[in-house]
Amino acid sequence: MKSVSFLKGLILLTIVSGVSCTKLDEKLYDRVSAENFGNSETELLALVGPAYSSLGSENRDGIDNDYFFLQEASTDEIIVPTRGTDWDDNGKWRQLWLQTWTPDVDILNAAWGFCSYGIGQINRIEAQLLSSTVELPVKPQLLAELKALRALYHWMLMDLYGNVPIVADFKTDPNTVTNKPRAEVFAFIESELKAAIPKLTTTVGASTYGRMTRYAAFTLLAKLYLNAQVYTGTARYTDCIAACDSVINSAKYTLNNNFFANFATNNDISAEEIIFSIPTDKSLYGPGDFSGLTRMQLRTLHYSHRAVYNLGETPWNGFSSNADFYNKFNDPNDVRKSMFLVGQQYDNLGNPLTDGATPIILTPVISSLSAAARNEGARSIKYAPEKNSRRQQSNDWVVFRYADVLMMKAEALARQSNNWNAGLTLVNQIRTRAKAAPLSSLTADSFLDERAREFAWEGWRRNDMIRFGKFLQPKQFKANVSPDTRNIYPIPRPRLTANPNLKQNPGY
């Protein structure tokens, strides 16, 4: 489904001209010109390109990087134990797992920067479009795409940090903004999406793959409403169901019969389940380039897996799931369990891999957070490692899938009726695709476990656990319940230093 010329062109344009992009904390307002430009649809699409490519690590920090770390490595899903001298990093991974982070942890600042950079890009491009005298039929749609993307970035920022600034104008000095209450940010995101949706395209195909369609906006709106109780204190389950139905009733999407096709290196060509993704292609990056997406294979694979996949770089042997999470995959026929590598590992010829003289037998059992063995932890190949790749891969990063729409509707129905079985039929659609036995009943805990199995390592675990009241609970190596204030992250200290108008979140 991918429109190769359009998407690759946008990525290449950004790589070449990325230095002209503005960050939220830079004042480059003089770059907005009133000159005529964008005399064709292609030129306008190229102008809008950086708004999308900033999601994919055009500035070295994409959605699969620090934002993903905060959403996953703080939960029970991904653990990053120190192995010898590897993955100590001044203890930041242990702080995430133990939920003892401080405003000085660099990941917090980088994730904030990722979101604010994207917002700054969008505001700049929007100002350029609005100042142009060129009028083409596609222009209102592109402005709506920018509005929906800006809502996505504000949603990510709000979900992580709670009370955050709203910046929706390129002329606003970022050093004068202050935090807005989370409920106000929620209302802003809702209004942006509602304003954008009528002008967004309903076309689903090669020309719109990787772009904000009406259905991508409805999916984000459903995600917003599903978490409304957390964000504002007021439930919006009826609205969540309506947003989900807007996607379901369109008949534009379906579950892919092959679960792992959603994450394959060519997942763009069988994208019937993918509502919004971030396209990428390894061929667009040079040997020393740190930009790009989908570096999960390096973060998780054992060093010796380099030979298995003929990788141009030795994997980093870090990200894992422990036995508690791995054992949630308790149906022997559930194909989703094969996302994990465990047991004896083999090379391309079927010979057992060794680490020196020691057979490489991966085990989900992790014995220590600060001194784990090199073979400990189940490794994820959900995003299939691409043979003959180096740092980047060609798997497009999936943000929204149709499966999530079905699960969101099932959960909203259950919460609305106070009956978890209300969404049982929808949940069993998901399980049937996974070759897992249908469930006869559901509870809150079993529903959350099903979301864990379906969306593992996709960046949703923290969001889910907070909604179910499980995020702060004890887990391996963490004996105590964390304070409620840990449900949101602190405003990073460098941001407070740069802008004294920002106020730190409670508890920090």
Side-chain angles (χ1 to χ4, degrees), residues 154-219:
H154 277 89
W155 177 82
M156 291 189 287
L157 199 65
M158 176 194 69
D159 188 70
L160 290 176
Y161 304 98
N163 309 307
V164 298
I166 297 172
V167 184
D169 187 328
F170 190 68
K171 293 181 180 180
T172 299
D173 185 342
N175 292 321
T176 66
V177 296
T178 189
N179 319 58
K180 300 296 184 181
R182 208 178 200 186
E184 186 174 338
V185 183
F186 177 101
F188 166 75
I189 296 167
E190 181 185 22
S191 66
E192 288 278 277
L193 290 171
K194 284 186 169 183
I197 283 171
K199 298 177 182 178
L200 290 171
T201 183
T202 58
T203 299
V204 175
S207 64
T208 60
Y209 179 84
R211 291 168 61 185
M212 267 287 175
T213 64
R214 188 173 298 183
Y215 308 111
F218 271 127
T219 304

Side-chain angles (χ1 to χ4, degrees), residues 237-254:
Y237 300 125
T238 299
D239 292 327
C240 177
I241 294 166
C244 290
D245 281 341
S246 294
V247 179
I248 295 168
N249 295 337
S250 74
K252 301 280 188 176
Y253 304 94
T254 186

Side-chain angles (χ1 to χ4, degrees), residues 226-242:
L226 184 64
N227 292 279
Q229 182 79 54
V230 173
Y231 297 150
T232 71
T234 301
R236 300 283 296 274
Y237 300 125
T238 299
D239 292 327
C240 177
I241 294 166

Side-chain angles (χ1 to χ4, degrees), residues 268-314:
D268 57 298
I269 66 172
S270 57
E272 59 263 33
E273 186 173 337
I274 297 174
I275 298 172
F276 182 61
S277 68
I278 305 167
T280 190
D281 192 316
K282 70 175 183 180
S283 67
L284 299 176
Y285 302 94
D289 200 331
F290 280 84
S291 300
L293 270 175
T294 322
R295 291 156 289 189
M296 202 61 66
Q297 81 285 7
L298 294 179
R299 296 186 183 117
T300 186
L301 292 179
H302 189 277
Y303 314 109
S304 298
H305 282 124
R306 178 176 185 175
V308 176
Y309 300 102
N310 195 30
L311 300 176
E313 183 170 334
T314 300

